[in-house]
Amino acid sequence: MELILSLLGGLGLFLFGMNFMSQGLQKAAGARLRSILEAMTKNKIVAVLFGALFTAIIQSSGATTVMVVSFVNAGIMTLAQSVGIIFGANIGTTITSQLVAFNLTGVAPFILFVGAVLIMFGKKPMVKKIGEVILGFGALFMGISMMKDAMTDLRDYQIVLHVLSSMDNPLLGILLGTVITVIVQSSSVTVSILLLMASQGLIDLPVCFYVILGCNIGSCTPAVLASLNAKKEAKRAAAIHVMFNVLGMVIIGILLAFGMDYFESFILHISGSDVGRCVANADSFYKIFQTLIFLPVSAQFIAMTRRIIPGEDQMQSEYQFMYIGKQTIFAPSTAVVETTQEIERMGTLARENLQLAMEAFFDRNEHKIAKVYETEKQIDFLSKEITDYLVKINQLQLPVVDAKRIGGLFHVVSDIERIGDHAENIADAAVKGAEENLEFTKKGQKEIKEMHEKTMEILEKSMEMFTTLDQKNLPDILELENDIDNMERQLQQNHVKRMAKGKCSPMTGILFTDLVTGLERVADHATNIAFSILENDPKEGKQVV
Protein backbone atom coordinates (compact mmCIF):
# COMPACT_ATOMS: atom_id res chain seq x y z
CA MET A 1 0.00 0.00 0.00
CA GLU A 2 2.85 2.36 0.88
CA LEU A 3 4.42 1.63 -2.52
CA ILE A 4 1.22 2.52 -4.38
CA LEU A 5 0.82 5.74 -2.40
CA SER A 6 4.42 6.71 -3.19
CA LEU A 7 3.83 6.07 -6.90
CA LEU A 8 0.56 8.04 -6.92
CA GLY A 9 2.09 10.85 -4.88
CA GLY A 10 5.06 11.08 -7.22
CA LEU A 11 2.78 11.00 -10.27
CA GLY A 12 0.56 13.68 -8.77
CA LEU A 13 3.53 15.93 -8.04
CA PHE A 14 4.90 15.30 -11.53
CA LEU A 15 1.55 16.19 -13.18
CA PHE A 16 1.21 19.26 -10.96
CA GLY A 17 4.71 20.45 -11.78
CA MET A 18 4.19 19.85 -15.49
CA ASN A 19 0.88 21.74 -15.55
CA PHE A 20 2.06 24.54 -13.24
CA MET A 21 5.21 25.10 -15.31
CA SER A 22 3.29 25.09 -18.60
CA GLN A 23 0.66 27.52 -17.32
CA GLY A 24 3.33 29.77 -15.81
CA LEU A 25 5.18 29.92 -19.10
CA GLN A 26 2.00 30.72 -21.01
CA LYS A 27 1.04 33.45 -18.54
CA ALA A 28 4.52 34.96 -18.50
CA ALA A 29 5.24 34.94 -22.22
CA GLY A 30 2.13 33.53 -23.89
CA ALA A 31 0.98 36.74 -25.59
CA ARG A 32 4.44 37.56 -26.97
CA LEU A 33 5.05 33.99 -28.16
CA ARG A 34 1.55 33.89 -29.63
CA SER A 35 2.17 36.99 -31.74
CA ILE A 36 5.40 35.43 -33.04
CA LEU A 37 3.52 32.20 -33.73
CA GLU A 38 1.06 34.11 -35.93
CA ALA A 39 3.94 35.59 -37.94
CA MET A 40 6.09 32.46 -38.35
CA THR A 41 3.82 30.54 -40.70
CA LYS A 42 4.64 31.84 -44.20
CA ASN A 43 7.49 29.36 -44.74
CA LYS A 44 6.81 25.71 -43.91
CA ILE A 45 10.32 24.93 -42.66
CA VAL A 46 10.40 28.06 -40.48
CA ALA A 47 6.93 27.13 -39.19
CA VAL A 48 8.16 23.65 -38.22
CA LEU A 49 11.21 25.03 -36.43
CA PHE A 50 9.23 27.63 -34.55
CA GLY A 51 6.43 25.15 -33.73
CA ALA A 52 9.05 22.91 -32.17
CA LEU A 53 10.67 25.79 -30.27
CA PHE A 54 7.32 27.18 -29.12
CA THR A 55 6.18 23.79 -27.81
CA ALA A 56 9.54 23.13 -26.15
CA ILE A 57 9.16 26.43 -24.29
CA ILE A 58 5.57 25.99 -23.09
CA GLN A 59 6.09 22.23 -22.55
CA SER A 60 2.82 21.19 -24.16
CA SER A 61 2.04 20.13 -27.71
CA GLY A 62 -1.61 20.01 -26.66
CA ALA A 63 -1.55 23.72 -25.80
CA THR A 64 0.17 24.54 -29.11
CA THR A 65 -2.23 22.53 -31.27
CA VAL A 66 -5.28 23.87 -29.43
CA MET A 67 -3.89 27.37 -30.02
CA VAL A 68 -3.46 26.60 -33.72
CA VAL A 69 -7.01 25.20 -33.94
CA SER A 70 -8.37 28.40 -32.38
CA PHE A 71 -6.30 30.58 -34.76
CA VAL A 72 -7.64 28.68 -37.77
CA ASN A 73 -11.16 28.94 -36.36
CA ALA A 74 -10.76 32.72 -35.95
CA GLY A 75 -9.37 33.12 -39.46
CA ILE A 76 -6.01 34.41 -38.16
CA MET A 77 -4.16 31.43 -39.64
CA THR A 78 -4.97 29.43 -42.77
CA LEU A 79 -5.06 25.65 -42.82
CA ALA A 80 -1.91 25.58 -44.97
CA GLN A 81 -0.10 27.81 -42.47
CA SER A 82 -1.09 25.58 -39.56
CA VAL A 83 0.54 22.43 -40.95
CA GLY A 84 4.14 23.40 -40.20
CA ILE A 85 3.32 24.51 -36.65
CA ILE A 86 1.46 21.24 -35.97
CA PHE A 87 4.35 19.14 -37.29
CA GLY A 88 6.84 21.18 -35.25
CA ALA A 89 4.72 20.88 -32.11
CA ASN A 90 5.06 17.11 -32.27
CA ILE A 91 8.84 17.48 -32.24
CA GLY A 92 8.86 20.10 -29.48
CA THR A 93 6.84 17.97 -27.08
CA THR A 94 9.72 15.47 -26.84
CA ILE A 95 11.82 18.01 -24.91
CA THR A 96 10.12 16.97 -21.65
CA SER A 97 11.31 13.38 -21.86
CA GLN A 98 14.76 14.63 -22.81
CA LEU A 99 14.83 16.80 -19.67
CA VAL A 100 13.68 13.86 -17.54
CA ALA A 101 16.48 11.75 -19.01
CA PHE A 102 19.02 14.30 -17.72
CA ASN A 103 18.08 13.24 -14.16
CA LEU A 104 18.07 16.59 -12.35
CA THR A 105 16.40 15.18 -9.24
CA GLY A 106 19.42 16.05 -7.08
CA VAL A 107 18.92 19.80 -7.53
CA ALA A 108 15.09 19.68 -7.52
CA PRO A 109 14.77 20.93 -3.88
CA PHE A 110 16.91 23.98 -4.69
CA ILE A 111 14.83 24.69 -7.81
CA LEU A 112 11.68 24.48 -5.68
CA PHE A 113 13.15 26.90 -3.16
CA VAL A 114 14.06 29.48 -5.83
CA GLY A 115 10.57 29.28 -7.35
CA ALA A 116 8.88 29.65 -3.96
CA VAL A 117 11.03 32.70 -3.07
CA LEU A 118 10.12 34.45 -6.33
CA ILE A 119 6.40 33.76 -5.84
CA MET A 120 6.38 34.80 -2.18
CA PHE A 121 8.56 37.90 -2.38
CA GLY A 122 8.38 38.98 -6.02
CA LYS A 123 6.86 42.45 -6.39
CA LYS A 124 6.06 42.44 -10.10
CA PRO A 125 3.50 40.06 -11.71
CA MET A 126 6.05 38.90 -14.29
CA VAL A 127 8.52 37.92 -11.54
CA LYS A 128 5.80 35.87 -9.85
CA LYS A 129 4.97 34.14 -13.14
CA ILE A 130 8.63 33.24 -13.63
CA GLY A 131 8.58 31.90 -10.08
CA GLU A 132 5.64 29.68 -11.01
CA VAL A 133 7.62 28.29 -13.94
CA ILE A 134 10.62 27.51 -11.74
CA LEU A 135 8.46 26.05 -8.96
CA GLY A 136 6.67 23.83 -11.49
CA PHE A 137 10.02 22.69 -12.88
CA GLY A 138 11.22 21.76 -9.40
CA ALA A 139 7.97 19.97 -8.53
CA LEU A 140 8.23 17.99 -11.76
CA PHE A 141 11.63 16.60 -10.79
CA MET A 142 10.62 15.99 -7.18
CA GLY A 143 7.75 13.89 -8.54
CA ILE A 144 10.20 12.01 -10.74
CA SER A 145 12.41 11.34 -7.72
CA MET A 146 9.47 9.90 -5.75
CA MET A 147 8.34 7.70 -8.66
CA LYS A 148 11.88 6.53 -9.29
CA ASP A 149 12.33 5.44 -5.67
CA ALA A 150 8.97 3.64 -5.70
CA MET A 151 9.77 1.87 -9.00
CA THR A 152 13.01 0.59 -7.51
CA ASP A 153 10.93 -1.29 -4.94
CA LEU A 154 8.57 -2.58 -7.66
CA ARG A 155 11.32 -4.91 -8.85
CA ASP A 156 10.81 -6.95 -5.66
CA TYR A 157 7.28 -7.88 -6.78
CA GLN A 158 7.48 -10.83 -9.20
CA ILE A 159 3.86 -10.50 -10.28
CA VAL A 160 4.51 -6.95 -11.50
CA LEU A 161 7.60 -8.05 -13.40
CA HIS A 162 5.63 -10.92 -14.94
CA VAL A 163 2.81 -8.67 -16.12
CA LEU A 164 5.16 -6.08 -17.59
CA SER A 165 7.38 -8.68 -19.27
CA SER A 166 4.34 -10.29 -20.92
CA MET A 167 3.52 -7.07 -22.78
CA ASP A 168 5.40 -8.10 -25.90
CA ASN A 169 2.44 -7.70 -28.24
CA PRO A 170 2.97 -4.55 -30.38
CA LEU A 171 -0.77 -3.80 -30.64
CA LEU A 172 -1.14 -4.11 -26.86
CA GLY A 173 1.74 -1.65 -26.36
CA ILE A 174 0.24 0.87 -28.80
CA LEU A 175 -3.19 0.54 -27.16
CA LEU A 176 -1.72 0.99 -23.67
CA GLY A 177 0.16 4.13 -24.70
CA THR A 178 -2.94 5.57 -26.37
CA VAL A 179 -5.28 4.94 -23.44
CA ILE A 180 -2.93 6.30 -20.77
CA THR A 181 -2.16 9.42 -22.83
CA VAL A 182 -5.86 10.07 -23.47
CA ILE A 183 -6.43 9.91 -19.71
CA VAL A 184 -3.54 12.19 -18.66
CA GLN A 185 -3.90 14.42 -21.79
CA SER A 186 -0.14 14.57 -22.32
CA SER A 187 2.22 12.31 -24.26
CA SER A 188 5.14 14.01 -22.46
CA VAL A 189 3.88 12.67 -19.14
CA THR A 190 3.33 9.13 -20.45
CA VAL A 191 6.71 8.94 -22.19
CA SER A 192 8.44 10.30 -19.09
CA ILE A 193 6.86 7.61 -16.90
CA LEU A 194 7.79 5.00 -19.52
CA LEU A 195 11.36 6.32 -19.42
CA LEU A 196 11.54 5.85 -15.66
CA MET A 197 10.15 2.32 -15.88
CA ALA A 198 12.63 1.37 -18.60
CA SER A 199 15.56 2.83 -16.66
CA GLN A 200 14.57 0.69 -13.66
CA GLY A 201 14.45 -2.45 -15.80
CA LEU A 202 10.69 -2.85 -15.37
CA ILE A 203 9.86 -2.84 -19.08
CA ASP A 204 11.86 -3.94 -22.12
CA LEU A 205 13.07 -1.39 -24.65
CA PRO A 206 11.25 -2.92 -27.67
CA VAL A 207 7.95 -2.67 -25.80
CA CYS A 208 8.70 0.99 -25.06
CA PHE A 209 9.09 1.70 -28.77
CA TYR A 210 5.52 0.55 -29.42
CA VAL A 211 4.06 2.28 -26.36
CA ILE A 212 5.55 5.58 -27.60
CA LEU A 213 3.62 5.17 -30.85
CA GLY A 214 0.42 4.89 -28.84
CA CYS A 215 1.36 7.93 -26.78
CA ASN A 216 1.66 9.95 -29.99
CA ILE A 217 -1.88 9.02 -31.02
CA GLY A 218 -3.27 9.86 -27.57
CA SER A 219 -1.62 13.28 -27.71
CA CYS A 220 -4.16 14.32 -30.37
CA THR A 221 -6.98 14.37 -27.81
CA PRO A 222 -6.79 18.06 -26.72
CA ALA A 223 -6.88 19.36 -30.31
CA VAL A 224 -9.73 17.02 -31.27
CA LEU A 225 -11.80 18.07 -28.25
CA ALA A 226 -11.15 21.75 -28.97
CA SER A 227 -12.30 21.35 -32.58
CA LEU A 228 -15.61 19.61 -31.85
CA ASN A 229 -17.60 22.86 -31.78
CA ALA A 230 -15.34 24.78 -34.16
CA LYS A 231 -15.55 25.62 -37.85
CA LYS A 232 -14.69 23.04 -40.47
CA GLU A 233 -11.27 24.54 -41.17
CA ALA A 234 -10.41 24.19 -37.47
CA LYS A 235 -11.66 20.59 -37.54
CA ARG A 236 -9.36 19.99 -40.51
CA ALA A 237 -6.40 21.38 -38.56
CA ALA A 238 -7.11 18.89 -35.76
CA ALA A 239 -7.50 16.14 -38.37
CA ILE A 240 -4.02 16.93 -39.76
CA HIS A 241 -2.62 16.44 -36.24
CA VAL A 242 -4.38 13.06 -35.99
CA MET A 243 -3.25 11.98 -39.47
CA PHE A 244 0.35 12.93 -38.70
CA ASN A 245 0.45 10.60 -35.72
CA VAL A 246 -1.73 7.76 -37.05
CA LEU A 247 0.07 7.50 -40.40
CA GLY A 248 3.38 7.84 -38.56
CA MET A 249 2.38 5.01 -36.24
CA VAL A 250 1.54 2.77 -39.22
CA ILE A 251 4.79 3.50 -41.08
CA ILE A 252 7.08 3.25 -38.05
CA GLY A 253 5.18 0.21 -36.75
CA ILE A 254 5.80 -1.63 -40.03
CA LEU A 255 9.49 -0.66 -39.99
CA LEU A 256 9.83 -1.87 -36.39
CA ALA A 257 8.13 -5.16 -37.23
CA PHE A 258 10.81 -5.94 -39.82
CA GLY A 259 13.81 -4.15 -38.33
CA MET A 260 13.44 -4.00 -34.54
CA ASP A 261 16.97 -5.33 -33.89
CA TYR A 262 18.55 -2.74 -36.18
CA PHE A 263 16.55 0.13 -34.65
CA GLU A 264 17.28 -0.99 -31.08
CA SER A 265 21.01 -1.20 -31.87
CA PHE A 266 20.91 2.25 -33.48
CA ILE A 267 19.16 3.85 -30.49
CA LEU A 268 21.51 2.16 -28.00
CA HIS A 269 24.49 3.35 -30.03
CA ILE A 270 23.47 7.03 -30.06
CA SER A 271 22.30 6.94 -26.43
CA GLY A 272 25.41 5.44 -24.90
CA SER A 273 23.53 2.37 -23.58
CA ASP A 274 21.48 4.61 -21.22
CA VAL A 275 18.04 2.95 -21.39
CA GLY A 276 16.19 6.04 -20.18
CA ARG A 277 17.96 8.15 -22.77
CA CYS A 278 17.05 5.50 -25.37
CA VAL A 279 13.33 6.05 -24.74
CA ALA A 280 13.69 9.84 -24.96
CA ASN A 281 15.75 9.62 -28.15
CA ALA A 282 13.33 7.15 -29.75
CA ASP A 283 10.48 9.56 -29.06
CA SER A 284 12.41 12.44 -30.66
CA PHE A 285 13.52 10.27 -33.59
CA TYR A 286 9.93 9.25 -34.39
CA LYS A 287 8.72 12.85 -34.56
CA ILE A 288 11.67 14.11 -36.62
CA PHE A 289 11.37 11.15 -39.01
CA GLN A 290 7.63 11.72 -39.47
CA THR A 291 8.16 15.42 -40.14
CA LEU A 292 10.85 14.72 -42.74
CA ILE A 293 8.64 12.33 -44.71
CA PHE A 294 5.33 14.19 -44.30
CA LEU A 295 6.35 17.84 -44.76
CA PRO A 296 7.00 17.48 -48.53
CA VAL A 297 3.46 16.09 -48.96
CA SER A 298 1.71 18.51 -46.60
CA ALA A 299 -0.51 19.70 -49.48
CA GLN A 300 -1.82 16.13 -49.77
CA PHE A 301 -2.60 16.16 -46.04
CA ILE A 302 -4.74 19.26 -46.58
CA ALA A 303 -6.48 17.73 -49.60
CA MET A 304 -7.20 14.56 -47.62
CA THR A 305 -8.78 16.50 -44.76
CA ARG A 306 -11.02 18.32 -47.24
CA ARG A 307 -12.27 14.94 -48.44
CA ILE A 308 -12.77 13.64 -44.91
CA ILE A 309 -14.47 16.89 -43.80
CA PRO A 310 -16.10 18.24 -47.00
CA GLY A 311 -18.04 21.44 -47.58
CA GLU A 312 -17.95 24.90 -46.05
CA ASP A 313 -19.48 26.39 -42.93
CA GLN A 314 -22.91 27.94 -43.16
CA MET A 315 -24.26 30.36 -40.61
CA GLN A 316 -27.40 28.82 -39.15
CA SER A 317 -28.31 32.17 -37.64
CA GLU A 318 -26.81 35.64 -37.57
CA TYR A 319 -27.27 35.57 -33.82
CA GLN A 320 -24.24 33.47 -33.00
CA PHE A 321 -20.49 33.78 -32.57
CA MET A 322 -18.20 33.39 -35.56
CA TYR A 323 -14.83 33.25 -33.82
CA ILE A 324 -15.50 32.28 -30.21
CA GLY A 325 -16.11 28.59 -29.45
CA LYS A 326 -19.79 27.72 -29.32
CA GLN A 327 -19.70 25.94 -25.98
CA THR A 328 -16.15 25.90 -24.71
CA ILE A 329 -13.15 28.18 -24.40
CA PHE A 330 -10.41 26.91 -26.74
CA ALA A 331 -7.55 27.89 -24.44
CA PRO A 332 -6.79 30.74 -22.02
CA SER A 333 -3.84 31.72 -24.20
CA THR A 334 -6.11 32.44 -27.18
CA ALA A 335 -9.34 33.55 -25.50
CA VAL A 336 -8.53 37.27 -25.84
CA VAL A 337 -7.57 36.80 -29.50
CA GLU A 338 -10.95 35.19 -30.26
CA THR A 339 -12.77 37.89 -28.32
CA THR A 340 -10.93 40.65 -30.19
CA GLN A 341 -11.94 39.06 -33.50
CA GLU A 342 -15.57 38.95 -32.39
CA ILE A 343 -15.43 42.56 -31.18
CA GLU A 344 -13.93 43.58 -34.54
CA ARG A 345 -16.88 41.86 -36.23
CA MET A 346 -19.28 43.72 -33.94
CA GLY A 347 -17.51 47.00 -34.75
CA THR A 348 -17.80 46.33 -38.49
CA LEU A 349 -21.54 45.74 -38.10
CA ALA A 350 -21.93 48.98 -36.13
CA ARG A 351 -19.91 50.97 -38.68
CA GLU A 352 -21.87 49.57 -41.64
CA ASN A 353 -25.13 50.16 -39.82
CA LEU A 354 -24.22 53.79 -39.18
CA GLN A 355 -23.53 54.24 -42.90
CA LEU A 356 -26.80 52.51 -43.83
CA ALA A 357 -28.79 54.59 -41.35
CA MET A 358 -27.49 57.84 -42.82
CA GLU A 359 -28.29 56.65 -46.35
CA ALA A 360 -31.78 55.71 -45.19
CA PHE A 361 -32.23 59.16 -43.65
CA PHE A 362 -31.57 60.97 -46.92
CA ASP A 363 -33.34 58.63 -49.36
CA ARG A 364 -36.14 57.54 -46.95
CA ASN A 365 -35.71 53.91 -48.03
CA GLU A 366 -37.96 51.71 -45.89
CA HIS A 367 -35.96 48.56 -46.67
CA LYS A 368 -32.74 50.19 -45.43
CA ILE A 369 -34.49 51.44 -42.29
CA ALA A 370 -35.75 47.91 -41.54
CA LYS A 371 -32.25 46.53 -42.13
CA VAL A 372 -30.82 49.04 -39.62
CA TYR A 373 -33.25 47.85 -36.94
CA GLU A 374 -32.49 44.18 -37.67
CA THR A 375 -28.70 44.71 -37.54
CA GLU A 376 -29.08 46.62 -34.26
CA LYS A 377 -30.65 43.49 -32.73
CA GLN A 378 -27.60 41.50 -33.83
CA ILE A 379 -25.26 44.12 -32.32
CA ASP A 380 -27.19 43.98 -29.02
CA PHE A 381 -26.92 40.17 -29.05
CA LEU A 382 -23.15 40.30 -29.58
CA SER A 383 -22.78 42.96 -26.90
CA LYS A 384 -24.46 40.79 -24.28
CA GLU A 385 -22.79 37.53 -25.30
CA ILE A 386 -19.28 38.98 -25.62
CA THR A 387 -19.64 40.68 -22.24
CA ASP A 388 -20.70 37.36 -20.68
CA TYR A 389 -17.74 35.65 -22.35
CA LEU A 390 -15.35 38.32 -21.04
CA VAL A 391 -16.67 37.74 -17.53
CA LYS A 392 -16.02 34.01 -17.99
CA ILE A 393 -12.45 34.33 -19.31
CA ASN A 394 -11.61 36.98 -16.72
CA GLN A 395 -11.79 34.16 -14.16
CA LEU A 396 -9.07 32.19 -16.00
CA GLN A 397 -5.31 32.36 -15.62
CA LEU A 398 -4.57 34.49 -18.68
CA PRO A 399 -1.20 35.63 -20.07
CA VAL A 400 -0.14 38.81 -18.25
CA VAL A 401 -0.55 41.04 -21.33
CA ASP A 402 -4.01 39.62 -22.08
CA ALA A 403 -5.16 40.04 -18.49
CA LYS A 404 -4.33 43.76 -18.73
CA ARG A 405 -6.50 44.11 -21.85
CA ILE A 406 -9.69 42.64 -20.37
CA GLY A 407 -10.85 45.89 -18.73
CA GLY A 408 -10.40 47.79 -21.98
CA LEU A 409 -12.33 45.14 -23.93
CA PHE A 410 -15.36 45.57 -21.67
CA HIS A 411 -15.35 49.30 -22.46
CA VAL A 412 -14.89 48.76 -26.19
CA VAL A 413 -17.92 46.46 -26.33
CA SER A 414 -19.94 49.13 -24.52
CA ASP A 415 -18.74 51.87 -26.89
CA ILE A 416 -19.58 49.84 -29.99
CA GLU A 417 -23.02 49.04 -28.58
CA ARG A 418 -23.65 52.77 -28.06
CA ILE A 419 -22.56 53.49 -31.65
CA GLY A 420 -25.15 50.93 -32.73
CA ASP A 421 -27.76 52.80 -30.68
CA HIS A 422 -26.89 56.05 -32.46
CA ALA A 423 -27.38 54.33 -35.83
CA GLU A 424 -30.81 53.23 -34.62
CA ASN A 425 -31.56 56.83 -33.55
CA ILE A 426 -30.75 58.01 -37.08
CA ALA A 427 -33.14 55.38 -38.45
CA ASP A 428 -35.79 56.73 -36.05
CA ALA A 429 -35.10 60.22 -37.39
CA ALA A 430 -35.53 58.89 -40.94
CA VAL A 431 -38.94 57.48 -40.02
CA LYS A 432 -39.97 60.72 -38.35
CA GLY A 433 -38.71 62.80 -41.29
CA ALA A 434 -40.68 60.67 -43.74
CA GLU A 435 -43.87 60.78 -41.67
CA GLU A 436 -43.77 64.55 -41.16
CA ASN A 437 -42.15 65.39 -44.51
CA LEU A 438 -39.25 67.22 -42.88
CA GLU A 439 -36.51 68.44 -45.24
CA PHE A 440 -33.13 70.07 -44.57
CA THR A 441 -31.85 72.89 -46.71
CA LYS A 442 -29.17 71.97 -49.25
CA LYS A 443 -26.62 73.68 -47.02
CA GLY A 444 -27.83 71.66 -44.01
CA GLN A 445 -27.66 68.39 -45.95
CA LYS A 446 -24.12 69.17 -47.08
CA GLU A 447 -23.03 69.93 -43.51
CA ILE A 448 -24.52 66.71 -42.12
CA LYS A 449 -22.90 64.63 -44.87
CA GLU A 450 -19.49 66.22 -44.27
CA MET A 451 -19.71 65.57 -40.53
CA HIS A 452 -20.86 62.02 -41.17
CA GLU A 453 -17.88 61.39 -43.48
CA LYS A 454 -15.45 62.55 -40.80
CA THR A 455 -17.25 60.42 -38.21
CA MET A 456 -16.97 57.34 -40.40
CA GLU A 457 -13.29 58.08 -40.94
CA ILE A 458 -12.47 58.36 -37.23
CA LEU A 459 -14.47 55.21 -36.53
CA GLU A 460 -12.58 53.24 -39.17
CA LYS A 461 -9.17 54.47 -37.96
CA SER A 462 -10.07 53.74 -34.32
CA MET A 463 -11.20 50.19 -35.05
CA GLU A 464 -7.99 49.60 -37.03
CA MET A 465 -5.93 50.88 -34.09
CA PHE A 466 -7.83 48.61 -31.71
CA THR A 467 -7.47 45.44 -33.78
CA THR A 468 -3.83 45.93 -34.84
CA LEU A 469 -2.60 47.45 -31.54
CA ASP A 470 -0.69 49.90 -33.75
CA GLN A 471 -0.69 53.56 -32.64
CA LYS A 472 0.13 55.02 -36.07
CA ASN A 473 -3.46 56.31 -36.45
CA LEU A 474 -3.43 58.14 -33.10
CA PRO A 475 -2.42 61.62 -34.44
CA ASP A 476 -5.11 61.43 -37.14
CA ILE A 477 -7.72 60.31 -34.60
CA LEU A 478 -6.91 63.19 -32.23
CA GLU A 479 -7.08 65.69 -35.11
CA LEU A 480 -10.35 64.25 -36.40
CA GLU A 481 -11.92 64.32 -32.94
CA ASN A 482 -10.96 67.96 -32.55
CA ASP A 483 -12.35 68.77 -36.03
CA ILE A 484 -15.64 67.00 -35.28
CA ASP A 485 -16.02 68.80 -31.94
CA ASN A 486 -15.49 72.16 -33.68
CA MET A 487 -17.77 71.13 -36.52
CA GLU A 488 -20.55 70.21 -34.09
CA ARG A 489 -20.45 73.66 -32.51
CA GLN A 490 -20.24 75.43 -35.87
CA LEU A 491 -23.09 73.43 -37.41
CA GLN A 492 -25.35 74.14 -34.44
CA GLN A 493 -24.67 77.86 -34.83
CA ASN A 494 -25.26 77.74 -38.59
CA HIS A 495 -28.60 76.01 -38.14
CA VAL A 496 -29.74 78.50 -35.51
CA LYS A 497 -29.07 81.28 -38.04
CA ARG A 498 -31.08 79.41 -40.71
CA MET A 499 -33.96 79.00 -38.30
CA ALA A 500 -33.81 82.71 -37.41
CA LYS A 501 -34.10 83.55 -41.10
CA GLY A 502 -37.08 81.19 -41.46
CA LYS A 503 -35.31 78.80 -43.84
CA CYS A 504 -36.34 75.73 -41.85
CA SER A 505 -38.99 74.78 -39.29
CA PRO A 506 -38.47 74.22 -35.54
CA MET A 507 -39.12 70.47 -35.97
CA THR A 508 -36.44 70.29 -38.65
CA GLY A 509 -34.14 72.18 -36.30
CA ILE A 510 -34.65 69.61 -33.55
CA LEU A 511 -33.95 66.81 -36.02
CA PHE A 512 -30.78 68.53 -37.24
CA THR A 513 -29.54 69.12 -33.69
CA ASP A 514 -30.15 65.48 -32.74
CA LEU A 515 -28.20 64.24 -35.77
CA VAL A 516 -25.22 66.54 -35.19
CA THR A 517 -25.09 65.71 -31.49
CA GLY A 518 -25.37 61.99 -32.22
CA LEU A 519 -22.50 62.05 -34.73
CA GLU A 520 -20.31 63.96 -32.27
CA ARG A 521 -21.00 61.32 -29.62
CA VAL A 522 -20.18 58.53 -32.08
CA ALA A 523 -16.81 60.22 -32.63
CA ASP A 524 -16.30 60.29 -28.83
CA HIS A 525 -17.03 56.55 -28.62
CA ALA A 526 -14.65 55.92 -31.54
CA THR A 527 -11.92 57.82 -29.69
CA ASN A 528 -12.56 55.71 -26.58
CA ILE A 529 -12.09 52.57 -28.69
CA ALA A 530 -8.72 53.81 -29.91
CA PHE A 531 -7.63 54.84 -26.41
CA SER A 532 -8.50 51.36 -25.05
CA ILE A 533 -5.08 50.05 -26.14
CA LEU A 534 -3.23 52.86 -24.34
CA GLU A 535 -2.23 52.91 -20.69
CA ASN A 536 -2.82 56.65 -20.43
CA ASP A 537 -5.12 59.14 -22.10
CA PRO A 538 -2.86 61.14 -24.48
CA LYS A 539 -4.92 64.29 -23.84
CA GLU A 540 -5.34 64.09 -20.09
CA GLY A 541 -2.21 62.24 -18.99
CA LYS A 542 -4.30 59.91 -16.89
CA GLN A 543 -5.40 56.32 -17.13
CA VAL A 544 -8.40 55.67 -19.35
CA VAL A 545 -11.35 54.11 -17.53
Side-chain angles (χ1 to χ4, degrees), residues 295-342:
L295 192 60
V297 294
S298 58
Q300 283 67 38
F301 269 65
I302 296 172
M304 199 179 300
T305 61
R306 295 197 187 283
R307 290 186 178 183
I308 298 171
I309 308 172
E312 300 298 330
D313 291 288
Q314 293 183 348
M315 291 283 285
Q316 300 298 319
S317 167
E318 290 184 336
Y319 300 105
Q320 65 183 46
F321 285 141
M322 284 185 64
Y323 305 109
I324 294 173
K326 294 178 183 177
Q327 298 176 4
T328 58
I329 296 170
F330 283 111
S333 54
T334 62
V336 169
V337 175
E338 298 150 15
T339 308
T340 302
Q341 291 285 106
E342 208 69 64

Side-chain angles (χ1 to χ4, degrees), residues 249-511:
M249 179 270 292
V250 172
I251 293 171
I252 294 173
I254 292 172
L255 293 175
L256 289 177
F258 291 99
M260 174 60 78
D261 292 340
Y262 295 107
F263 183 71
E264 185 176 0
S265 298
F266 167 71
I267 291 295
L268 284 168
H269 176 71
I270 65 174
S271 306
S273 300
D274 183 333
V275 178
R277 177 65 62 187
C278 285
V279 174
N281 286 340
D283 188 26
S284 298
F285 178 83
Y286 287 174
K287 302 298 178 62
I288 294 171
F289 175 73
Q290 288 174 230
T291 300
L292 290 175
I293 62 173
F294 291 149
L295 192 60
V297 294
S298 58
Q300 283 67 38
F301 269 65
I302 296 172
M304 199 179 300
T305 61
R306 295 197 187 283
R307 290 186 178 183
I308 298 171
I309 308 172
E312 300 298 330
D313 291 288
Q314 293 183 348
M315 291 283 285
Q316 300 298 319
S317 167
E318 290 184 336
Y319 300 105
Q320 65 183 46
F321 285 141
M322 284 185 64
Y323 305 109
I324 294 173
K326 294 178 183 177
Q327 298 176 4
T328 58
I329 296 170
F330 283 111
S333 54
T334 62
V336 169
V337 175
E338 298 150 15
T339 308
T340 302
Q341 291 285 106
E342 208 69 64
I343 292 174
E344 183 182 4
R345 174 193 171 206
M346 182 183 171
T348 300
L349 288 172
R351 190 170 67 248
E352 292 174 349
N353 217 33
L354 187 66
Q355 178 66 37
L356 188 65
M358 190 58 71
E359 292 175 5
F361 178 83
F362 285 111
D363 60 25
R364 307 293 164 82
N365 186 303
E366 293 183 1
H367 174 73
K368 289 182 179 179
I369 293 172
K371 179 63 176 175
V372 170
Y373 289 139
E374 182 60 32
T375 303
E376 173 58 17
K377 292 179 182 177
Q378 189 178 359
I379 292 170
D380 287 342
F381 164 81
L382 288 173
S383 174
K384 179 184 179 302
E385 293 299 319
I386 292 174
T387 300
D388 290 346
Y389 188 76
L390 283 170
V391 171
K392 188 186 299 182
I393 66 174
N394 197 35
Q395 299 169 9
L396 302 176
Q397 294 293 325
L398 300 171
V400 175
V401 174
D402 288 351
K404 291 180 179 179
R405 286 202 74 192
I406 290 291
L409 295 180
F410 277 108
H411 290 296
V412 170
V413 172
S414 177
D415 282 311
I416 294 175
E417 195 274 333
R418 292 295 298 132
I419 291 170
D421 290 343
H422 285 296
E424 186 177 34
N425 292 340
I426 294 174
D428 292 341
V431 172
K432 185 175 182 180
E435 290 176 348
E436 301 185 18
N437 197 28
L438 302 175
E439 293 287 347
F440 292 154
T441 63
K442 289 185 178 180
K443 179 66 175 175
Q445 289 184 27
K446 182 181 178 183
E447 290 174 342
I448 287 290
K449 288 179 179 179
E450 287 176 351
M451 187 172 183
H452 172 250
E453 287 175 3
K454 282 189 175 291
T455 303
M456 294 299 294
E457 184 180 358
I458 192 174
L459 184 53
E460 184 175 356
K461 287 182 178 294
S462 294
M463 284 303 302
E464 181 184 348
M465 183 170 163
F466 165 74
T467 55
T468 63
L469 301 179
D470 191 334
Q471 299 183 29
K472 67 179 181 180
N473 287 343
L474 186 57
D476 291 340
I477 290 169
L478 293 172
E479 183 179 350
L480 280 167
E481 186 198 21
N482 187 55
D483 290 346
I484 292 170
D485 288 343
N486 293 333
M487 188 176 285
E488 191 259 348
R489 288 190 291 270
Q490 186 62 50
L491 264 56
Q492 297 285 19
Q493 293 173 9
N494 292 348
H495 202 68
V496 169
K497 292 177 182 178
R498 286 194 291 270
M499 289 178 63
K501 293 178 180 179
K503 293 184 178 181
C504 60
S505 67
M507 288 302 297
T508 305
I510 293 173
L511 207 60

Side-chain angles (χ1 to χ4, degrees), residues 146-163:
M146 289 178 64
M147 285 191 291
K148 194 172 183 180
D149 291 341
M151 287 177 186
T152 302
D153 295 334
L154 270 179
R155 285 181 295 187
D156 297 333
Y157 294 83
Q158 291 300 316
I159 187 170
V160 174
L161 294 176
H162 177 71
V163 170

